[in-house]
Amino acid sequence: MLHDLDMEKRLREAKLRPTRQRVALAEIMFGKGDRHLSAETLYEEAREAGVAVSLATIYNTLHQFTDNGLLRAISIDSSKTYFDTNTGNHHHFFFEDSEEVVDMPDGYVTVANLPEPPAGMEVSRVDVIVRVRNNVS
Amino acid sequence: MLHDLDMEKRLREAKLRPTRQRVALAEIMFGKGDRHLSAETLYEEAREAGVAVSLATIYNTLHQFTDNGLLRAISIDSSKTYFDTNTGNHHHFFFEDSEEVVDMPDGYVTVANLPEPPAGMEVSRVDVIVRVRNNVS
DNA sequence: ATTTGTGCAAATCGTTTGCATCTGA
DNA sequence: TCAGATGCAAACGATTTGCACAAAT
């Protein structure tokens, strides 16, 4: 697991001041591999880890991280937004029953025959969501 | 534009009682080709058309229609849910700047190399969202 | 010293719910 | 008749905001 100094560096590279809270939250977020966090989840994990942060700061942090490329926001169906610690090129499975989002490794899905975007527009990203459910035959 | 009797039939086929409100809302929804409506939009259009419905009924109707296959719910990014009057097989452009959702005709996009869904699961749908933005070179 | 971040509580906003009243079959 | 719909207002849950205080450069 990465420690404070690594996180400080990572935050500085993202042009974010490495404040106590941001470093602590970054450790929680990035310390356990790829994950999909909601604000509430992160808030609880922070409390459990003994880090005292307000929910407002959680939201601020998630958005700042997203704006600066440390996280990717995904909103599929459910009312709450999830933040993906994996910002690389990949797609998702969405389990309709449990409302869970799971990464699909890159290299699997290929998207072909994309129509041209309208003039003056450029594609910023292509998201593929494979919705799956229990096989109720 | 389709008229009352067609809508009544359509609602009955979807196993929904053709009440005054549902028929009126269906006409507004389906009378102008494929569209992406939010609850608020539909509410305003109904008022403009002189149809007195409460917001609660708007929500009820949108969900009942969705459950019975007359609409498809899509939630991309923004906080509000949109309902697509096109329930056929197709994908979407999402304009990041204006937060607009636009249909992409079927036959264009091809998705290949989908990984197998986990055991006991079946794919219920594959959504492709092409996010585009203004070309800021 | 300045700028930027944080915490708290109140405010927003989309959506849902409870319940009394109506309506279609 | 009477299950199913509707309307209203109150309740909700996620997110945002305003502002005073604290911390980072």
Side-chain angles (χ1 to χ4, degrees):
Chain A
M1 147 127 164
L2 302 173
H3 59 295
D4 296 38
L5 290 181
D6 294 315
M7 283 306 163
E8 270 201 47
K9 192 173 161 226
R10 194 156 173 181
L11 289 175
R12 279 187 209 288
E13 283 169 0
K15 298 190 199 307
L16 287 170
R17 270 200 205 166
T19 64
R20 200 181 300 116
Q21 292 85 336
R22 296 214 266 233
V23 171
L25 292 177
E27 281 180 10
I28 293 172
M29 281 188 239
F30 301 116
K32 297 177 191 151
D34 294 340
R35 16 193 347 216
H36 303 93
L37 292 154
S38 67
E40 204 57 38
T41 309
L42 182 56
Y43 186 53
E44 275 160 27
E45 292 197 9
R47 303 205 122 271
E48 282 167 17
V51 178
V53 276
S54 69
L55 200 45
T57 297
I58 295 278
Y59 277 105
N60 284 338
T61 303
L62 287 170
H63 288 143
Q64 291 152 355
F65 280 27
T66 300
D67 292 343
N68 295 34
L70 297 176
L71 292 173
R72 170 183 299 183
I74 47 183
S75 59
I76 304 173
D77 249 55
S78 93
S79 55
K80 57 178 87 169
T81 301
Y82 285 88
F83 295 86
D84 194 337
T85 59
N86 178 356
T87 57
N89 183 19
H90 70 288
H91 300 296
H92 296 103
F93 271 123
F94 177 67
F95 294 85
E96 296 183 333
D97 306 294
S98 59
E99 299 214 318
E100 256 183 303
V101 179
V102 173
D103 278 3
M104 193 181 285
D106 185 25
Y108 259 107
V109 179
T110 323
V111 180
N113 291 321
L114 276 189
E116 280 300 311
M121 295 273 162
E122 64 180 358
V123 174
S124 82
R125 199 164 94 207
V126 177
D127 285 341
V128 177
I129 296 148
V130 179
R131 307 172 63 98
V132 298
R133 60 167 173 232
N134 281 315
N135 191 341
V136 279
S137 56
Chain B
M1 149 126 166
L2 302 172
H3 59 293
D4 296 39
L5 290 181
D6 294 314
M7 284 304 163
E8 270 201 46
K9 190 171 163 229
R10 195 157 171 179
L11 289 175
R12 278 185 209 288
E13 282 169 2
K15 300 191 200 305
L16 288 169
R17 267 202 208 164
T19 65
R20 201 182 301 114
Q21 294 86 333
R22 296 214 266 235
V23 172
L25 292 178
E27 280 179 11
I28 293 171
M29 282 188 241
F30 302 114
K32 296 177 194 155
D34 294 340
R35 16 193 348 216
H36 303 93
L37 292 153
S38 67
E40 204 57 38
T41 309
L42 181 56
Y43 186 51
E44 275 159 29
E45 293 196 10
R47 301 205 123 273
E48 281 167 19
V51 179
V53 275
S54 69
L55 200 44
T57 298
I58 296 278
Y59 277 104
N60 284 339
T61 304
L62 287 171
H63 288 144
Q64 291 151 355
F65 280 27
T66 300
D67 293 344
N68 295 30
L70 296 176
L71 290 174
R72 169 184 298 185
I74 48 183
S75 58
I76 305 174
D77 247 55
S78 92
S79 55
K80 55 179 89 171
T81 301
Y82 284 87
F83 295 85
D84 195 338
T85 58
N86 177 356
T87 57
N89 182 19
H90 70 289
H91 299 296
H92 296 103
F93 272 124
F94 177 66
F95 294 86
E96 296 184 334
D97 305 295
S98 59
E99 299 214 317
E100 257 183 303
V101 179
V102 173
D103 278 3
M104 193 182 286
D106 186 25
Y108 259 106
V109 179
T110 323
V111 180
N113 292 319
L114 276 188
E116 279 299 311
M121 296 275 162
E122 64 180 358
V123 174
S124 82
R125 197 165 95 207
V126 177
D127 285 341
V128 176
I129 296 147
V130 179
R131 306 171 64 95
V132 297
R133 61 168 171 231
N134 280 315
N135 191 341
V136 278
S137 58

